[in-house]
Every structure is written in structure tokens, then in C-alpha cells.
């Protein structure tokens, strides 16, 4: 089990996961998002390979379109 903080809220997951899997679990898959992991931006191209570690702190921002 791992514990990570997402936008200030601690969440627990049964097994390690990568950024893409996290977005899927948070129902954000397919949306335009930016992820900051422990103070560093994770490039979108690295989402599938960037594994999350116990204790990570993430900020996830969802882009909202408008006119």
C-alpha cells in the first residue's frame, strides 16, 4: 500500500502506480492536466513511466476551456 498527497488530500492506494494510472483512478484520464510531483513538473510524455512513491506530494491542475 502507498500513501500520496494529491492537491493537499492524502490518498491511499493498494499498489504502486504511475501517473497515467493515477489519472485513471481519479477519473481524469483523457483530460488536459498538468502534474507537479514533489515540486517538479512531470512531462506529459512521461506519465506512463513515472512511478509514484510512498509519500509523494502531487499537485494536479486541470485545464478548463472557455471563451
Amino acid at each position: 500500500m502507498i500513501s500520496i498527497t494529491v492537491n493537499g488530500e492524502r490518498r491511499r492506494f493498494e499498489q504502486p502506480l504511475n501517473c497515467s494510472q493515477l489519472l485513471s483512478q481519479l477519473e481524469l484520464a483523457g483530460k488536459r492536466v498538468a502534474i507537479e510531483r514533489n515540486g517538479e513538473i512531470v512531462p506529459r510524455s512521461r506519465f506512463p513511466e513515472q512511478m509514484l512513491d510512498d509519500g509523494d506530494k502531487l499537485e494536479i491542475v486541470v485545464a478548463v476551456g472557455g471563451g
Side-chain angles (χ1 to χ4, degrees):
M1 178 173 279
I2 68 167
S3 176
I4 60 175
T5 302
V6 179
N7 295 346
E9 180 181 334
R10 185 166 302 275
R11 296 177 177 255
R12 295 184 190 278
F13 297 93
E14 293 295 319
Q15 59 192 17
L17 65 166
N18 63 39
C19 288
S20 291
Q21 293 166 325
L22 174 66
L23 292 176
S24 180
Q25 290 210 11
L26 298 177
E27 298 182 0
L28 295 173
K31 297 190 182 218
R32 295 177 48 179
V33 300
I35 300 177
E36 180 185 272
R37 176 180 173 248
N38 301 325
E40 295 187 22
I41 299 294
V42 178
R44 187 172 192 74
S45 62
R46 295 206 52 214
F47 285 4
E49 63 196 47
Q50 180 62 67
M51 295 302 293
L52 301 174
D53 296 321
D54 189 51
D56 277 352
K57 290 181 173 49
L58 303 173
E59 292 296 325
I60 300 176
V61 178
V62 180
V64 179

